[in-house]
Amino acid sequence: MTKPVNDLSHDDHYEENYGLEAIDRRRVALEEFDDAKFGWFHVRACIVSGIGFFTDAYDIFAINLVSTMIGYVYWGAEGNKTPHGVDTAIKVSCSVGTVVGQLLFGWLADRLGRKRMYGIELMIMIVGTVGQTLAGNGPASSFWAVITFWRIIVGIGIGGDYPLSSVITAEFATTKRRGAMMAAVFAMQGFGQVAASLVGLIATAAAQNAIHSNPENLDYVWRVVVGVGAIPGCIALYYRLTIPETPRYTMDVEQKIEKGIRDAKAFIEHGAAAGDYSDNVAVARSDNPAIAKASWADFWRFFGQRRNATVLFGTAYSWFALDVAWYGLGLNNSIILKNIGFAGGDDPYTAVFRTCVGNIIINLLGSVPGYWITVFTVDYIGRKTIQIMGFCMLTIFFVILGFGYHAILGYSVPLFIVLYTLTQIFFNFGPNATTFIVPGECFPTRYRSTAHGISAASGKVGAIVAQVGFGLLKDIGGDNAWIDHLLQIFAFFMLTGIFSSFLIPETKGKTLEELAGETESIAPLPEDSKVEEDQQRRY
């Protein structure tokens, strides 16, 4: 619409009608965007985001194998076992870095944009991964201190990946398949866990003779296992750096409504290729009165409202409760595996090899199927239903495993394996997937990444609590003698997760604008405004 030059008396009416028209066109553009046909560009967005989570899981869970290997390399004189303090520091350091990354990148993605930050977190992960492989002892620093430093760096990159991948996938997804797309991104964690054990298995088998001749040759093996984790990140880096800004961020935060509408149309017609977008075209800002601008005052006002604060608490605490058990078990899987005969051995090669095989079996039987059951059901059953169901089942299984730990192992190891595998299934066909999905959907665009970062960081605080607590408590009364009581504690946290899950909304089938409450202030143009608009178009 071109503003009439000589008719200054219509200034107020013109600005009002132009603003209403822009808001209405934004609404129509987003409706088309949300209802777009599922295509290759949606698959591409899932793959680009998912490779990051593949790398995340690989780096996080490879430390199980590395901890076993370095015990033979650096602490052979101390029973070939990594000291408790060192083991805890190496595992917890990544989670500490992850908390920092989730909060920092969550805020930066809302402040500077998704596109500007996406890829930087992957660079940090790659640098940190390579740095770990170069760690060694020296007069001025010990091996464990150096690798702990690099794991903090890796953790910062991993933390940044959580809010960025979640909100980018959510903002590019169709309403009908948004849950499945986000779950598919997160499900790549399962393949990352399997890949870490598989690479460990292959590297260990390849070095079998060398390990038998000298266990310190495991020093080469663990560096290969860690270093391979940088490869998928390098492959995905280009695609992350060239991904376009989401139209929602362009319209709602940058307040460039016309550019956002064009970008949404380009995405629908051509897909997520950077060349389809008008990034190099100068477009003026246009205030959108229906969408509040981000600021610290507005942030505290928004989350100061009871409804919004309750939802944030629900997403944050649910993730915290989940990660107490998820990481408490996940980063100490070798202990459980040893008790069921899938770890340990008379020599270093056998001990490492069996740990790798045990991890692969548990992940393929439990974790991977659980993730993909969620992918195929989350848009039908609903996020909230799956989360509550998952917490209920986990409570039951942890009660059984905790209070019947010794009895079940004494009666039937296969029965214990079945119960433990079912626990892994309901972690991922349950809160492990949904706690990632919901925070990326239920907050407005201007704070979506920040809120997701806060929720995810709460989860990693739970992981830190679990890792420190697990290490301090597991040997009370003897070597691994307190595992049954730890499983009972996990049951309690799963129980509390049931109640916090009632605080989150059901996001299935709703647009991001509906979930953020923005549709309440965006209504179609009134009839009198449409008449006035027709008159203005004569100019």
Side-chain angles (χ1 to χ4, degrees):
M1 185 189 301
T2 305
K3 182 178 177 179
V5 176
N6 298 321
D7 193 359
L8 299 180
S9 63
H10 288 81
D11 275 0
D12 293 340
H13 292 293
Y14 172 82
E15 297 295 343
E16 180 182 352
N17 290 328
Y18 182 82
L20 287 170
E21 180 190 4
I23 295 169
D24 199 49
R25 290 180 61 216
R26 167 190 175 274
R27 178 177 57 80
V28 172
L30 289 178
E31 286 176 355
E32 294 178 354
F33 195 75
D34 289 334
D35 296 334
K37 183 179 179 181
F38 187 79
W40 166 245
F41 39 87
H42 292 107
V43 176
R44 180 178 179 269
C46 288
I47 293 173
V48 172
S49 297
I51 289 178
F53 273 93
F54 176 96
T55 305
D56 295 351
Y58 185 101
D59 288 339
I60 290 174
F61 290 95
I63 202 63
N64 275 332
L65 308 177
V66 171
S67 180
T68 300
M69 294 180 194
I70 62 177
Y72 291 99
V73 177
Y74 295 98
W75 290 279
E78 301 175 26
N80 295 320
K81 184 177 180 181
T82 305
H84 160 68
V86 174
D87 183 66
T88 301
I90 291 175
K91 291 177 179 177
V92 169
S93 57
C94 187
S95 294
V96 171
T98 302
V99 171
V100 175
Q102 287 164 335
L103 294 174
L104 178 62
F105 278 85
W107 173 70
L108 287 174
D110 282 336
R111 181 70 178 82
L112 302 178
R114 285 73 161 123
K115 175 179 172 61
R116 287 188 182 181
M117 302 311 300
Y118 211 37
I120 295 176
E121 83 296 338
L122 205 52
M123 294 181 193
I124 295 173
M125 274 193 278
I126 293 169
V127 171
T129 299
V130 174
Q132 288 180 83
T133 65
L134 303 176
N137 274 320
S141 61
S142 62
F143 160 78
W144 74 268
V146 175
I147 196 172
T148 296
F149 167 79
W150 285 115
R151 286 195 62 75
I152 292 174
I153 301 301
V154 168
I156 292 173
I158 290 173
D161 201 26
Y162 275 74
L164 281 164
S165 290
S166 175
V167 300
I168 286 174
T169 304
E171 291 174 4
F172 273 126
T174 63
T175 301
K176 183 178 180 180
R177 292 184 174 86
R178 187 177 62 238
M181 287 180 64
M182 297 178 75
V185 168
F186 199 64
M188 293 302 289
Q189 278 196 338
F191 293 132
Q193 293 169 35
V194 173
S197 298
L198 191 60
V199 171
L201 184 69
I202 295 171
T204 303
Q208 179 178 359
N209 293 332
I211 296 170
H212 280 312
S213 63
N214 184 358
E216 289 190 1
N217 284 320
L218 280 168
D219 197 39
Y220 297 99
V221 178
W222 79 258
R223 294 177 194 275
V224 170
V225 172
V226 172
V228 168
I231 296 176
C234 292
I235 295 172
L237 184 58
Y238 167 78
Y239 297 99
R240 288 203 171 190
L241 293 174
T242 56
I243 199 168
E245 185 57 85
T246 68
R248 282 185 165 89
Y249 185 87
T250 301
M251 287 188 280
D252 295 348
V253 180
E254 293 183 332
Q255 299 279 303
K256 297 177 181 177
I257 297 179
E258 296 300 328
K259 180 178 183 300
I261 292 172
R262 287 203 303 271
D263 289 352
K265 183 178 180 182
F267 182 85
I268 294 170
E269 294 178 353
H270 307 292
D276 298 333
Y277 287 73
S278 50
D279 290 337
N280 297 321
V281 179
V283 179
R285 282 176 172 268
S286 54
D287 289 339
N288 185 348
I291 306 298
K293 292 183 179 180
S295 65
W296 282 113
D298 179 68
F299 177 87
W300 293 113
R301 180 199 62 78
F302 180 82
F303 286 106
Q305 297 177 22
R306 183 176 179 179
R307 172 185 175 276
N308 301 327
T310 299
V311 173
L312 182 60
F313 176 80
T315 59
Y317 183 80
S318 296
W319 209 331
F320 172 87
L322 164 77
D323 276 2
V324 168
W326 172 247
Y327 281 94
L329 280 183
L331 293 181
N332 296 280
N333 247 348
S334 57
I335 297 172
I336 302 294
L337 291 173
K338 185 176 181 180
N339 287 342
I340 61 178
F342 278 109
D346 297 330
D347 61 90
Y349 171 80
T350 304
V352 174
F353 189 89
R354 292 177 70 181
T355 299
C356 293
V357 172
N359 275 303
I360 292 173
I361 292 172
I362 292 296
N363 283 315
L364 287 180
L365 289 178
S367 295
V368 173
Y371 282 118
W372 289 95
I373 293 172
T374 299
V375 172
F376 293 115
T377 61
V378 69
D379 285 317
Y380 299 97
I381 299 177
R383 288 69 149 156
K384 187 171 183 177
T385 302
I386 290 176
Q387 182 162 313
I388 293 173
M389 176 272 299
F391 271 128
C392 288
M393 295 304 295
L394 288 169
T395 302
I396 293 170
F397 282 123
F398 275 122
V399 166
I400 295 172
L401 289 172
F403 288 96
Y405 183 77
H406 297 292
I408 295 172
L409 281 175
Y411 174 73
S412 172
V413 171
L415 175 60
F416 187 93
I417 294 173
V418 169
L419 292 171
Y420 189 74
T421 300
L422 287 172
T423 302
Q424 297 298 312
I425 289 175
F426 283 104
F427 265 129
N428 299 308
F429 179 41
N432 194 36
T434 55
T435 51
F436 171 79
I437 296 171
V438 174
E441 298 179 303
C442 62
F443 299 104
T445 304
R446 65 189 187 277
Y447 300 129
R448 184 169 293 127
S449 184
T450 301
H452 193 284
I454 292 171
S455 301
S458 299
K460 288 304 171 289
V461 170
I464 294 170
V465 170
Q467 291 160 40
V468 173
F470 201 105
L472 292 174
L473 300 175
K474 70 183 181 67
D475 293 327
I476 294 177
D479 189 33
N480 296 329
W482 224 66
I483 299 295
D484 55 336
H485 298 300
L486 286 171
L487 295 175
Q488 295 164 17
I489 292 173
F490 294 161
F492 169 75
F493 278 101
M494 297 304 95
L495 179 64
T496 63
I498 297 173
F499 297 106
S500 63
S501 297
F502 284 103
L503 303 179
I504 66 172
E506 177 53 73
T507 59
K508 178 188 71 171
K510 297 180 180 179
T511 68
L512 297 179
E513 285 65 42
E514 288 176 320
L515 293 167
E518 293 173 349
T519 54
E520 298 172 2
S521 56
I522 303 176
L525 289 171
E527 290 299 322
D528 56 347
S529 294
K530 291 181 179 178
V531 173
E532 181 109 15
E533 181 182 340
D534 290 337
Q535 295 174 350
Q536 292 289 341
R537 283 176 177 158
R538 297 176 184 176
Y539 296 95

